[in-house]
Amino acid sequence: MLTITHTHEAGTLIEGTARGDGTAEILKANRWRWGRSIGSWYVPNSRDHRPDHHGIRRVVAALEAAGFEITTELDETVRSTAEVEADKIERQQARVAGLDAKAERRTADAEALWERHESDVNRLPEGGEPIKVGHHSEGRHRAALRRADYSARRALDAQHDAERASERAEAAAHTTGARYSVQTVANRIKTISADVRRAERRIEEDYYDPEHGYRPATADQKRARAERAAPILAELRDRLTYWEGVRAEQIATGKATNYGPDTINAGDSIKTRGHWRKVVRVNPKTVSVETGYSWHDRVDYAAIQAHQPATT
């Protein structure tokens, strides 16, 4: 008996598979992956999301067609954004620690191999003495050269592995910071706000009548749509509240600015991406700035780093 499970925290997994039982080919074909650390097949990027019912039904059908018995246990409960983010930060910290430890091991391995190579080089005849062909030392000399060449190659490969491991560890160490950067947070708020408005519009939008074309939605239709959209809207609004709180804290601590159409005027100068630009027009969500060419650029208020009023 196979069981597909889903929770918001763990994502979509399957229990009951065994090596060589034929499930691997089916799961791979449906883009599942094997998680060595968890000892189970899983759906990539399913953690912190609702279950993909369409994809799960497709896998269930394929497994049943192959003769497997399968059940599903799908939990629709959604964790709060605060819980999700705290979990992501904790997992990322653990990943950084693991990569740091791996980089240290790779570096130690490389240093040991370079020491081995240096020892092999020291066994060669001094002064770069050439091989004496036909001499009784020829075999030892050639073997020593092969050892030195082999240890050099191993040391170089180990050094490259150590450098890659260090680069991965450094990149991972900046992941959380990048996720919580001022501009990223502002963009995320903008995206989630648009998603909320889109979901709300779908409740009120007209419906298509084959005989009369588009007609205003009835009260019953709106009510049914609202019920279906309720869990999605609740999740989106929770995300929005969380990230708005993050931005409010960034503003309060001076990490982020809080400019808007009420604080910027045409003729002022703003700093964005490290450069000062003159404002030519103030818009509800952006300002238009000079570029030095025949066109103007638009800058989001959240991307404004500093502001200088126009001198009168």
Side-chain angles (χ1 to χ4, degrees):
M1 174 66 72
L2 305 178
T3 304
I4 292 179
T5 65
H6 179 91
T7 64
H8 201 247
E9 181 177 1
T12 305
L13 309 172
I14 187 168
E15 300 174 355
T17 62
R19 182 187 292 271
D21 65 358
T23 56
E25 292 74 12
I26 296 172
L27 295 171
K28 284 181 183 178
N30 285 276
R31 299 183 178 180
W32 286 54
R33 293 181 185 172
W34 173 255
R36 184 172 56 182
S37 62
I38 59 177
S40 174
W41 290 91
Y42 69 98
V43 175
N45 302 317
S46 59
R47 179 182 284 172
D48 302 325
H49 290 85
R50 297 176 182 278
D52 176 11
H53 292 282
H54 176 72
I56 291 172
R57 284 195 296 269
R58 184 173 63 246
V59 170
V60 168
L63 289 169
E64 287 179 339
F68 293 97
E69 293 184 30
I70 186 165
T71 61
T72 59
E73 298 176 3
L74 310 180
D75 186 354
E76 299 280 350
T77 305
V78 176
R79 297 188 297 167
S80 70
T81 305
E83 290 177 294
V84 170
E85 289 300 315
D87 193 22
K88 284 183 178 180
I89 292 172
E90 184 178 352
R91 291 200 307 268
Q92 187 63 20
Q93 289 173 341
R95 181 170 182 268
V96 170
L99 289 172
D100 281 337
K102 182 178 181 180
E104 290 177 1
R105 292 195 301 270
R106 293 287 189 269
T107 300
D109 291 344
E111 291 174 352
L113 287 170
W114 278 119
E115 290 177 1
R116 174 64 182 273
H117 172 65
E118 186 176 351
S119 176
D120 290 340
V121 170
N122 289 336
R123 291 192 181 96
L124 295 172
E126 295 183 3
E129 181 181 340
I131 297 173
K132 297 176 181 178
V133 180
H135 192 265
H136 66 82
S137 64
E138 179 183 355
R140 291 195 305 274
H141 197 157
R142 291 187 184 279
L145 286 172
R146 285 195 296 270
R147 282 195 299 271
D149 178 70
Y150 177 67
S151 61
R153 292 176 184 275
R154 289 188 64 197
L156 282 170
D157 289 342
Q159 181 176 332
H160 292 157
D161 288 343
E163 291 172 352
R164 285 195 293 269
S166 296
E167 290 170 358
R168 289 184 64 195
E170 184 177 357
H174 292 88
T175 297
T176 298
R179 181 173 175 78
Y180 280 77
S181 71
V182 169
Q183 191 60 54
T184 300
V185 170
N187 290 340
R188 186 170 289 116
I189 290 172
K190 185 193 304 183
T191 299
I192 298 173
S193 297
D195 290 340
V196 170
R197 293 192 297 270
R198 189 179 301 111
E200 290 173 339
R201 285 197 302 269
R202 285 173 180 168
I203 296 174
E204 302 291 332
E205 67 186 8
D206 296 344
Y207 75 98
Y208 182 73
D209 185 325
E211 295 183 1
H212 304 95
Y214 284 98
R215 304 291 300 275
T218 65
D220 288 341
Q221 287 174 324
K222 292 180 182 179
R223 187 162 42 252
R225 292 173 182 174
E227 289 178 0
R228 290 194 299 269
I232 297 173
L233 275 170
E235 184 178 1
L236 287 173
R237 288 166 179 156
D238 180 65
R239 289 182 194 170
L240 185 60
T241 298
Y242 176 85
W243 289 109
E244 286 178 338
V246 171
R247 177 156 176 79
E249 184 178 355
Q250 290 176 336
I251 293 171
T253 58
K255 186 176 180 181
T257 57
N258 192 29
Y259 296 111
D262 55 334
T263 56
I264 306 292
N265 297 297
D268 293 354
S269 295
I270 64 164
K271 186 179 182 181
T272 178
R273 296 183 179 180
H275 299 282
W276 285 94
R277 297 285 186 264
K278 185 176 181 180
V279 177
V280 295
R281 186 170 59 255
V282 175
N283 311 304
K285 297 181 180 180
T286 63
V287 291
S288 300
V289 297
E290 292 181 348
T291 62
Y293 300 96
S294 59
W295 63 85
H296 298 151
D297 282 343
R298 288 191 175 186
V299 178
D300 289 342
Y301 287 108
I304 299 176
Q305 299 168 313
H307 166 237
Q308 289 183 346
T311 56
T312 55

